[in-house]
Amino acid sequence: MKKSLSTLTKAQYTKAKLEWKQLKSPFSMQHINRCVILASQIIFFEEKEKSKQEVKKQDTKRLSKYEAQHNLRLIFTLSGTVSFYSAFPKSSGIANTKLGEASELTIAKARKLTEQMKYGVLNNHNIKTVFDAYEQSLIERHNTAPTKFAASSLRTYQCRIKKLRHHFPLKRAFQSLTAGELEKIVDLIIKTESNNQAIELFAQIRRVWRFAKNKFNSGRNPAADIDDFYVSDRVESPRPCQVYTDLDSIAELWINLASAPNIHQKNAARFMILTGIRPINIPQMKWGWLNSIDFPTLITFPASVVGVRAYSGAS
């Protein structure tokens, strides 16, 4: 073929370019074979012209044809190879991937593959779509049973998902991730995040994959193949924070809070000192739960309050 291409004239190139533009989908294998010849002529001539003009050579040039109605992209190279790729719009959430080459795949079979991908028989959703679906399931879980899954818990899970988005290749096909590749991502998390965050994010990865294995991964869960102690064995144990248990230490904390820049945080901390209730209950407090406005000695939480921990009252 190179011998015949070497004698290609400008007129032949122009004719090949015109015929290339006129070839429209849907394509038969006969059309594809003709495109192979035309693409080789066009690419060879354009590369030769670049070399004459001393233009810096770029990556090997390729030409594409599309069958939008079948979500197909056909890629032609100078060597004569034809590769079939899926070509779904970004809004579909389906990750595009190579389907095969003309030597092993016909145009009819390629169309069948993209049809199966479209209707979920061959699931090829990208990681972003799966993360979005998981987050939406959390929102629905909270809306359905807010007393079991509190708004504060929802926000915590959403923050973790937001963190994971920075560590994952979101356009990558979800099904393509192996346990080994997940371990590499977890290794990066260990290097870049705090010890506590690494432990929490690893647990969150496992929650996402448990949720997605049947819906998006044909029942497979590579996250479950990672050792349970993969992260905990690689990070230092969390250090306990300073605990104020005796009256002198509590008095010192009270005084030190005076320099806190945020008046709301300062008041919340002092309120916890006075009452013994936990931080989760602070934003829920209402005047009606106190037995007295002037000199309160008892806080009574209604049974319907979400997120109550330990104390139902403090005096």
Side-chain angles (χ1 to χ4, degrees):
M1 180 178 285
K2 283 190 176 181
K3 187 175 180 180
S4 62
L5 289 174
S6 62
T7 60
L8 192 71
T9 64
K10 177 72 178 289
Q12 289 172 319
Y13 162 75
T14 303
K15 184 180 178 181
K17 190 91 170 178
L18 179 62
E19 187 179 348
W20 172 269
K21 290 181 179 178
Q22 289 174 340
L23 282 171
K24 306 288 185 182
S25 65
F27 301 109
S28 65
M29 289 306 296
Q30 185 178 357
H31 289 143
I32 292 173
N33 291 334
R34 183 57 185 162
C35 283
V36 169
I37 297 171
L38 295 173
S40 297
Q41 292 175 343
I42 294 168
I43 295 171
F44 180 85
F45 189 86
E46 291 180 352
E47 290 296 312
K48 186 173 69 172
E49 290 300 303
K50 280 183 185 178
S51 62
K52 285 181 181 179
Q53 299 168 13
E54 296 184 351
V55 176
K56 186 178 179 181
K57 190 174 181 181
Q58 304 294 325
D59 293 335
T60 304
K61 186 175 176 64
R62 304 183 302 174
L63 293 180
S64 295
K65 285 287 188 184
Y66 289 88
E67 277 197 356
Q69 68 271 44
H70 294 116
N71 301 109
L72 264 180
R73 180 187 181 193
L74 290 74
I75 296 180
F76 300 84
T77 66
L78 177 62
S79 63
T81 60
V82 185
S83 301
F84 295 99
Y85 283 78
S86 61
F88 290 94
K90 290 182 180 180
S91 58
S92 69
I94 301 175
N96 290 315
T97 186
K98 184 176 180 179
L99 304 173
E101 295 186 358
S103 58
E104 61 188 34
L105 194 66
T106 64
I107 186 75
K109 288 182 179 178
R111 289 171 185 153
K112 187 173 182 180
L113 288 175
T114 55
E115 184 179 9
Q116 289 175 323
M117 290 168 65
K118 183 177 180 179
Y119 294 105
V121 178
L122 291 179
N123 199 326
N124 204 45
H125 289 285
N126 59 33
I127 295 171
K128 179 183 181 300
T129 301
V130 175
F131 281 177
D132 290 345
Y134 175 75
E135 187 171 359
Q136 184 58 39
S137 75
L138 294 176
I139 295 170
E140 292 171 359
R141 178 181 166 190
H142 166 69
N143 292 339
T144 303
T147 58
K148 291 184 178 180
F149 190 63
S152 57
S153 298
L154 172 61
R155 286 193 297 271
T156 299
Y157 278 62
Q158 286 177 317
C159 286
R160 291 172 185 162
I161 289 296
K162 185 177 180 180
K163 275 275 189 184
L164 289 181
R165 291 180 195 275
H166 294 294
H167 291 287
F168 278 84
L170 298 179
K171 294 182 180 179
R172 175 89 175 269
F174 184 78
Q175 281 194 337
S176 68
L177 279 178
T178 64
E181 289 174 306
L182 282 176
E183 285 182 357
K184 290 179 181 178
I185 293 174
V186 173
D187 289 339
L188 180 62
I189 290 173
I190 292 171
K191 288 180 181 179
T192 57
E193 304 290 348
S194 67
N195 295 346
N196 285 349
Q197 279 281 10
I199 292 170
E200 292 293 344
L201 292 178
F202 177 53
Q204 190 61 58
I205 289 171
R206 291 188 139 191
R207 293 188 194 100
V208 172
W209 259 256
R210 277 199 303 270
F211 158 81
K213 69 173 185 176
N214 294 327
K215 296 180 178 68
F216 299 99
N217 210 25
S218 304
R220 293 184 297 107
N221 184 4
D225 295 332
I226 303 175
D227 185 78
D228 292 344
F229 305 103
Y230 189 88
V231 176
S232 59
D233 284 347
R234 289 165 173 77
V235 300
E236 295 291 338
S237 299
R239 295 181 179 180
C241 61
Q242 187 176 359
V243 179
Y244 297 90
T245 55
D246 59 277
L247 291 178
D248 290 339
S249 296
I250 292 173
E252 181 182 353
L253 173 61
W254 182 281
I255 294 170
N256 291 339
L257 283 169
S259 60
N262 189 309
I263 189 171
H264 300 296
Q265 291 178 350
K266 175 170 63 178
N267 289 339
R270 286 181 169 176
F271 187 73
M272 286 188 286
I273 292 172
L274 291 172
T275 61
I277 67 172
R278 296 190 177 196
I280 194 172
N281 302 128
I282 295 295
Q284 300 171 335
M285 288 299 302
K286 297 184 184 299
W287 287 108
W289 299 352
L290 305 178
N291 65 337
S292 170
I293 300 298
D294 299 321
F295 189 73
T297 58
L298 182 67
I299 303 170
T300 303
F301 289 94
S304 61
V305 171
V306 174
V308 175
R309 300 288 191 276
Y311 293 100
S312 60
S315 58

